[in-house]
Amino acid sequence: MSELKGAMIIGQSGGPSSVINASCYGAIKAGLDSDCITKVYGAANGIVGVLNDKLYVMDEEDPEELAIMKYTPSSALGSCRYKIADPDVDETDYKKILEIFKKYDVRYFFYNGGNDSMDTCNKISKYMKRVGYDCRVMGIPKTIDNDLFGTDHCPGFASAAKYIATSLVEIYQDSHVYDKGQVTIVEIMGRHAGWLAGAASLARVAGYPADLIYLPEVDFNMDEFLEDVKKIWDENQNVIVAVSEGIHYADGRFVSEAETSATDGFGHAQLGGLAAKLGDVVKNAIPGVKVRPIELSLLQRCAEHCASQTDSDESFMAGQTAVNEAIKGVTDKMVGFKCTRDESGYKCEAELLDLSSVANYEKKVPVEWINERGNNVNDEFINYALPLIQGEIEMKKENSLPRFVRLKKVVAE
Amino acid sequence: MSELKGAMIIGQSGGPSSVINASCYGAIKAGLDSDCITKVYGAANGIVGVLNDKLYVMDEEDPEELAIMKYTPSSALGSCRYKIADPDVDETDYKKILEIFKKYDVRYFFYNGGNDSMDTCNKISKYMKRVGYDCRVMGIPKTIDNDLFGTDHCPGFASAAKYIATSLVEIYQDSHVYDKGQVTIVEIMGRHAGWLAGAASLARVAGYPADLIYLPEVDFNMDEFLEDVKKIWDENQNVIVAVSEGIHYADGRFVSEAETSATDGFGHAQLGGLAAKLGDVVKNAIPGVKVRPIELSLLQRCAEHCASQTDSDESFMAGQTAVNEAIKGVTDKMVGFKCTRDESGYKCEAELLDLSSVANYEKKVPVEWINERGNNVNDEFINYALPLIQGEIEMKKENSLPRFVRLKKVVAE
């Protein structure tokens, strides 16, 4: 265990979540509390802020205000979608990063994001080793998609899952209010993995199940979909469908992008989202049926008012652990979660995973958790996800509206 | 003041809201607590339940379970969209209603709904008077659209407004996360009145204003809209637009239904919702711009998890008042709200309005509250609406998901 004194940078990258700031705050707080870390910088818009020499001095922030970060959605420091080059091909960015690290005596670098961010992290770490600059680099996971490899789940997933399940429970009340029902189609995020669409199954714990759930893990078949909808419609005069935006046909084409087939009664490409498109197909197949397509859109990843306390606490812990472990000498790791679910309840602890093992892999919903017909998930999914959404956060309010963090954002010079 | 002993019926009608059950529970509880009211019936699916002789015996419900109605969205007794005939033209329905009233000795009838429901209420009341059947009839207002005449505001509006404002505050965090922004277009309910779209202005109280707000009270001009969006885009590289689904051109055509004009670069009708349509027009006008259309859809009227305590309490009070006043001898009235907003705060009390004066009129947002350009509302709107969204309800949860009322629904024989 070697003591390394110096400044730290934390950056946030990729799409927002309700708890990425909880992780960021965990890291900042651990940095501010440590004697080893001489200064805590927040990168403005992730790695782009490092490249542009735009760092915020977190030591200048009021501690009470800073604590509100824990319950503020999206990335308070700003995010980016910058894809860093392969250092073997182009060293420009890395040289600039090294220059900034030297300028501010940065010895700790933490990057808070999804798959691509772990890749960025990994590349920077390798480069610093190669040029002999002593710097500890750690990844702090974040993705509502829940598709990072090696960890039980990802910070951000549970709050999105809770929003989705809560919304489905409430939509159920609405869609069952009349004597004659409707076909409600709820479109949920997730391009390649169906974790979020699967979370729709949690509504059945509350007694209000979605009838059909389609995930991108299995091929979508429009004829079978219509059969399934018609069957339930004939029985109940009411159908709720939850569908992942990433569903695709057996030939790989996304249903959202493909032209609908002749059997759907359409021979042309449709505008609008996937839910609207499936809605048109259903309308055509069941004459006179009322159809309501709903796209949960951005709110599933930023609805702080419906976040999971478990998710928020674990996210904070992940950020804190990254910094504390780095101080102890660890580098080149991502903080993952190792969890147990048994009769004694749910337990979650941090474990450290090699950055190189998590970067660029995608974890999908196990096919054993999906039913044979490919139109729902079984209780194994629920046993997995239900503990993660537990607890209500203590979000600050003013005028009964969310009161989110207001950072001073003093730029380092 | 004449004492009238007998049973009561409460029915719910029209679209859901987060608090229509709070009103219904207020009425049921007042009925159960009264010595005058011998039995409390809930009509299954509003007036349709009366016509079909399907009434639930509320006396059979467990009081603790029943209390959960206060925090359950949508209509727990079921709703309908049944348009009752003019009794001068067709008496069939009225004769059936009278038969049911006699069968169960119904002397009190309460109807919980919007404009059409007040009309139904009014017609039944007049008919019973004409045939000499002693029955007291009261309307209990409900509409997220806030367009009932004579009352300061309508139960249900504030909770929808709170959901809209909260969502806009959260969407702001999401849409401002990258160094380069986007044009976010949020479509809000309200076909003829812009109260709900206007509620988007409350997000500016929290410090996260929507840049542009379009209401159906003023004619929409696509060229001016594009000018406005471009101007803000050029300044900030980020625009948030809130738009009522009911916006229309000067000639009365709804923008959502009209073919887009040649100036939009489209000459044909668009599929999908209004937000998607405006999004396409913006994409065409600002090359390379990222556009995110969002339709708040059903959740704005059923998101109990974001309801206003003020709204919930006032709704309960409206139901309770209707019953208590009817017991005192009042009939043929709707319970409205009379409110004051001054330095001593906000106060709301019930007032009784003639059913005939409220039925079939629509209250719109005063034009003085809309700016000259017709693209936002001023602080008068905020002063009006802000007090209404205050307070958080105590929604029951199980497994951290909403726990809504589970009625036995024992059918009367």
Side-chain angles (χ1 to χ4, degrees), chain A residues 14-15 45 74 79 81 163 170 173-174 177-178 292 298 301 303-305 390-392 397 399-401, chain B residues 14 45 74 79 81 163 170 173-174 177-178 202 292 294 298 301 303-305 390-392 397 399-400:
Chain A
N45 297 103
S74 193
S79 186
R81 292 224 182 259
Y163 178 82
E170 294 178 331
Q173 312 305 311
D174 193 296
V177 75
Y178 293 117
R292 175 73 82 158
L298 294 189
R301 68 183 195 192
E304 192 70 31
H305 72 274
Q390 299 305 303
E392 315 309 317
K397 288 207 165 192
N399 291 302
S400 281
L401 291 169
Chain B
N45 297 104
S74 192
S79 185
R81 291 223 183 260
Y163 178 82
E170 293 177 332
Q173 312 306 311
D174 193 296
V177 74
Y178 293 116
L202 296 171
R292 174 73 80 159
I294 299 175
L298 296 190
R301 68 182 194 193
E304 191 70 31
H305 72 273
Q390 298 305 302
E392 315 309 318
K397 290 209 166 190
N399 290 304
S400 280

Side-chain angles (χ1 to χ4, degrees), chain A residues 144-187:
Chain A
I144 62 163
D145 289 332
N146 202 37
D147 59 354
L148 279 172
F149 192 77
T151 178
D152 179 90
H153 60 279
C154 301
F157 164 63
S159 292
K162 184 170 183 163
Y163 178 82
I164 290 162
T166 302
S167 297
L168 272 153
V169 166
E170 294 178 331
I171 286 169
Y172 186 103
Q173 312 305 311
D174 193 296
S175 64
H176 284 72
V177 75
Y178 293 117
D179 34 355
K180 199 180 173 184
Q182 64 184 28
V183 177
T184 311
I185 301 171
V186 182
E187 180 179 339

